[in-house]
Amino acid sequence: MKYLLNEMSKPERSVFEIELSLDDELLAIFENYKMIWINYPQSNLPATTVSFSQIKDKYKKAETHTNTASLLFKRKTVFALVFLLVIGLGFYFTTNTNQAYSNHKIARVGERLTVFLPDSSTVILNSGSDVKYSSDFGKKREIWLVGEAFFKVKHNENVPFIVHTEAFDIKVLGTEFNVNGNFNDKTVSLEKGKVNVLLKESNDEINLLPSEELVWNSKSKTVTKRNFDLGKISAWKDNILLLDDIRLQDALLSINQFYGVNFIIKDAAIANQHIKGAFKNLTIDEFITSLEFISDVTITKTIQNNIEITKYHEN
């Protein structure tokens, strides 16, 4: 880095240039780094920096007059400089990346967090989810999502709104939709408008219309497009835990995500019994009390921070 910024002393530059003239592999590495440095948007390096081929020609005759001990010393010096340059470049690029995506919103476990974006769009994050977006969001509407979120996107024909997830890139102009990347089934569920979904696994593009849902199973690598119940998919954003006549074992995925806890069941009979209900604005303790009553179970918190569901009455 110091060489590229012309911050080396003359003796340091001479040692460095000699080594470059003697080691083709090292020369190739530095040519690559120089190219990266010159083309990086915020680089201050002038494009007229001396080329490494000129350096090699300059020191071509020096090779026959340099003894072995001196070369070893110089080699160690150069590799130390290489190491510092690599570390410096890594820090430089990491710092600028962090600055580019300086807006980072996180929903704590058990929390639903509403995020108001600079373009007047709204994102509601489910428990444990987070989004990142750039400081110039108004010019380029891109957002990175981990977890589950509901989007209300302000219409703008000139600047598409793009949501990046592990499995999808979702492109819209203005719409309302839900994205869930928490489970094996990764889903995009459209309520209003129109979205274009790019599957990263296959590069296939699929368009969704209102009430259509795209499901990508990360294990089986299968894609399903289907209709869905609008009220069921996004009930969580209104702080409602909706369990619609499903096995209690299957319900644990939604329960654990909603409350940011870890319910476990050790009894197969309990795991297979069905549960149905809408639990609105309940704390974890209130939910436990309700679940004990409607499912005829007892629930205890363990020292490992698990919440165990066991049978309350023997039949």
Side-chain angles (χ1 to χ4, degrees):
M1 184 187 302
K2 291 179 65 177
Y3 182 85
L4 293 173
L5 292 173
N6 295 319
E7 293 179 354
M8 281 185 176
S9 65
K10 287 186 178 180
E12 288 175 331
R13 293 183 67 84
S14 296
V15 171
F16 188 57
E17 291 173 351
I18 289 172
E19 184 59 27
L20 289 174
S21 71
L22 299 175
D23 192 327
D24 292 336
E25 184 177 352
L26 186 61
L27 182 61
I29 292 172
F30 266 85
E31 285 176 339
N32 288 334
Y33 276 122
K34 178 192 170 186
M35 185 64 64
I36 293 171
W37 191 261
I38 289 176
N39 287 287
Y40 198 80
Q42 297 183 6
S43 173
N44 294 319
L45 181 69
T48 56
T49 301
V50 63
S51 70
F52 290 129
S53 60
Q54 291 174 298
I55 294 172
K56 195 168 183 178
D57 290 340
K58 177 181 177 182
Y59 290 94
K60 188 173 182 180
K61 296 181 181 180
E63 181 177 2
T64 57
H65 301 291
T66 308
N67 60 53
T68 303
S70 178
L71 278 177
L72 288 175
F73 172 77
K74 292 170 182 177
R75 188 177 295 273
K76 290 179 181 179
T77 302
V78 170
F79 279 122
L81 292 170
V82 172
F83 176 77
L84 291 174
L85 176 62
V86 171
I87 295 298
L89 286 172
F91 177 78
Y92 181 81
F93 294 144
T94 300
T95 300
N96 280 274
T97 300
N98 289 337
Q99 290 175 349
Y101 307 109
S102 57
N103 297 291
H104 189 191
K105 307 298 182 181
I106 304 172
R108 299 189 304 271
V109 292
E111 176 190 33
R112 259 54 62 191
L113 177 66
T114 300
V115 179
F116 299 99
L117 299 175
D119 69 337
S120 297
S121 296
T122 304
V123 183
I124 305 174
L125 294 174
N126 205 349
S127 169
S129 304
D130 69 89
V131 290
K132 295 179 181 179
Y133 55 95
S134 65
S135 55
D136 62 345
F137 183 82
K139 299 178 181 178
K140 192 174 183 182
R141 299 197 299 171
E142 293 190 64
I143 196 165
W144 282 256
L145 168 69
V146 176
E148 183 172 17
F150 184 86
F151 292 86
K152 293 183 179 180
V153 178
K154 187 76 171 179
H155 188 82
N156 187 334
E157 291 185 0
N158 298 319
V159 186
F161 189 105
I162 301 174
V163 180
H164 301 282
T165 73
E166 180 184 5
F168 309 121
D169 284 337
I170 306 152
K171 183 178 180 180
V172 305
L173 297 178
T175 183
E176 295 183 16
F177 59 101
N178 194 85
V179 182
N180 192 348
N182 281 321
F183 311 127
N184 290 331
D185 283 341
K186 318 293 184 183
T187 61
V188 180
S189 310
L190 180 64
E191 289 200 7
K192 298 179 182 179
K194 181 180 178 180
V195 302
N196 174 266
V197 183
L198 171 66
L199 291 170
K200 293 184 177 180
E201 181 79 16
S202 61
N203 282 328
D204 290 332
E205 292 189 31
I206 300 174
N207 292 321
L208 295 180
L209 296 176
S211 299
E212 289 185 338
E213 178 179 63
L214 182 68
V215 183
W216 162 254
N217 188 284
S218 57
K219 283 192 172 181
S220 63
K221 308 298 183 183
T222 56
V223 180
T224 303
K225 186 178 179 181
R226 65 192 184 192
N227 291 326
F228 71 100
D229 188 317
L230 297 176
K232 292 179 181 179
I233 291 296
S234 58
W236 64 265
K237 69 182 175 62
D238 297 315
N239 210 31
I240 300 173
L241 174 60
L242 184 63
L243 304 175
D244 187 26
D245 195 22
I246 59 176
R247 293 170 63 245
L248 189 53
Q249 182 65 52
D250 296 333
L252 294 190
L253 289 173
S254 298
I255 295 171
N256 289 341
Q257 178 190 4
F258 191 87
Y259 284 107
V261 294
N262 186 36
F263 279 87
I264 58 175
I265 304 173
K266 295 185 177 180
D267 187 312
I270 298 175
N272 288 320
Q273 74 177 35
H274 280 228
I275 182 172
K276 184 176 183 178
F279 306 88
K280 183 174 183 178
N281 296 327
L282 296 187
T283 66
I284 182 61
D285 291 331
E286 291 170 337
F287 172 73
I288 288 174
T289 300
S290 298
L291 186 58
E292 285 181 322
F293 177 76
I294 65 176
S295 299
D296 192 24
V297 296
T298 185
I299 301 175
T300 57
K301 297 180 180 179
T302 70
I303 58 175
Q304 291 84 18
N305 293 322
N306 292 325
I307 301 177
E308 292 187 359
I309 304 176
T310 56
K311 199 66 178 176
Y312 189 61
H313 293 299
E314 292 294 338
N315 294 326

